[in-house]
Amino acid sequence: QACAQKYIVKNYFYYYLFKFSAALGEEVFYITFLPFIYWNIDHSVSRRMIIIWSIVMYIGQVSKDILKWPRPLSPPVVKLEMRTNAEYGMPSTHAMAATAISFSFLIATTNQYKYPFELGLVAAFVFSTLVCLSRLYTGMHTVLDVIGGALISAVLLVLLYPAWDTIDHLLLTSPFCPLLSIVVPLVLCYNYPKLDYYSPTRGDTTTILGAGAGATVGFWLNNQYAAPAYTSENFQLGFPLISSKMLVVVLARFFVGIFIVLLTRRLMKSVVLGMLGYRYKFPIGDLEARRRLEVEVPYKFVTYSSVGFCATVLVPLLHGLLGLM
């Protein structure tokens, strides 16, 4: 069992900078930034980012458990995180996610919004670099893990980019989209590579695929019923900055949406765990029972697919009722 290590912080600037940067590759960032893009910038940008993020993260997580490269030895490395210590190291999925999110955002917006491309390129590079360096600083990855993750993500972006428009069109118009969006991720989760011991990678992968599946069904449903898009004609990436009135609307959309998303996650987590606990006869607080395949996959998939669906369908409807569209 991993235990927390004692250490002395000698440079608080680097410590907090890289602790914050590490959080940019975790759930707390995904569950805020990706919905923010959908609610406030552009539906098509958000769709492309979510699809790329889901594919990149699935490949990264599976690669870890196939390659089985260990994380850096400790000592001599001091590890500032313990939750993911049970996972293998290569490739760094933080590096993969940061590269995929920052550069897919740049590519998806560069032709739709007026802002200096060089500025966007620098921002994407700085964002991904900070996340990559944070994995070295926190002792969770080697240099090779980080470089490998960034390169794999870059290659996947290059390979997927020519098919972006085709994939997006199929997701919005194909009558098979809702079924495939649920069935394919579920099959992948239930057939995740088996390990000799428990690792959070399967649960994290299920979380990602579940959120992507729920969002994809929401995209399709919105397109079928011609849901009104957010008004963004006054919101331009770049200068001059958005007006104070638009800023208030943007913040209102975000906080209302995040409240509903977090409420949905908490509610669905309790309901689904309660039902599975009744079905398999275990108390909700039993951590070992929640790690079993027949519990972990449906619990996390249903919970986070509900979150994805809520963010793309229910929250926009609420925004419309509140006059925030």
Side-chain angles (χ1 to χ4, degrees), residues 64 71-72 88-94 135-146:
K64 280 186 178 183
R71 289 186 181 271
Y88 289 107
M90 177 67 174
S92 166
T93 46
H94 273 71
R135 307 316 289 158
L136 303 179
Y137 182 88
T138 55
M140 302 310 295
H141 286 285
T142 65
V143 174
L144 186 58
D145 294 342
V146 170

Side-chain angles (χ1 to χ4, degrees), residues 94-286:
H94 273 71
M96 293 184 70
T99 303
I101 286 177
S102 58
F103 284 94
S104 63
F105 180 78
L106 173 66
I107 295 169
T109 59
T110 189
N111 292 324
Q112 297 190 39
Y113 292 90
K114 296 178 181 179
Y115 67 93
F117 176 78
E118 295 78 8
L119 180 63
L121 184 62
V122 170
F125 180 78
V126 169
F127 177 88
S128 55
T129 300
L130 280 176
V131 175
C132 290
L133 290 177
S134 74
R135 307 316 289 158
L136 303 179
Y137 182 88
T138 55
M140 302 310 295
H141 286 285
T142 65
V143 174
L144 186 58
D145 294 342
V146 170
I147 293 176
L151 287 178
I152 292 171
S153 191
V155 170
L156 288 172
L157 272 174
V158 171
L159 293 176
L160 291 170
Y161 175 70
W164 269 19
D165 292 338
T166 302
I167 294 173
D168 189 55
H169 178 73
L170 290 174
L171 290 180
L172 294 178
T173 60
S174 173
F176 302 105
C177 175
L179 179 62
L180 293 177
S181 296
I182 300 297
V183 172
V184 172
L186 269 177
V187 169
L188 293 176
C189 292
Y190 274 108
N191 290 277
Y192 193 83
K194 293 181 173 60
L195 298 176
D196 296 331
Y197 63 92
Y198 178 78
S199 167
T201 49
R202 183 183 66 201
D204 291 345
T205 304
T206 305
T207 294
I208 293 163
L209 294 183
T216 302
V217 172
F219 297 150
W220 181 87
L221 192 64
N222 286 339
N223 186 66
Q224 299 306 306
Y225 291 94
Y230 290 94
T231 56
S232 58
E233 62 272 5
N234 296 323
F235 183 63
Q236 291 293 326
L237 299 176
F239 302 98
L241 296 177
I242 59 177
S243 66
S244 57
K245 179 181 178 181
M246 191 62 188
L247 180 61
V248 170
V249 173
V250 166
L251 291 176
R253 288 175 184 170
F254 177 72
F255 285 114
V256 168
I258 287 300
F259 174 77
I260 299 301
V261 164
L262 294 179
L263 183 64
T264 300
R265 183 179 68 165
R266 185 178 183 86
L267 177 63
M268 293 305 299
K269 180 179 179 179
S270 299
V271 170
V272 176
L273 272 179
M275 294 174 63
L276 291 171
Y278 178 80
R279 169 67 176 83
Y280 294 107
K281 312 299 181 187
F282 69 86
I284 292 180
D286 188 342

Side-chain angles (χ1 to χ4, degrees), residues 275-316:
M275 294 174 63
L276 291 171
Y278 178 80
R279 169 67 176 83
Y280 294 107
K281 312 299 181 187
F282 69 86
I284 292 180
D286 188 342
L287 183 60
E288 289 301 317
R290 287 162 57 174
R291 290 175 170 178
R292 287 155 43 187
L293 174 67
E294 65 272 21
V295 174
E296 184 176 58
V297 170
Y299 142 56
K300 294 206 167 185
F301 191 87
V302 173
T303 298
Y304 284 91
S305 61
S306 300
V307 167
F309 184 82
C310 171
T312 54
V313 176
L314 300 184
V315 169

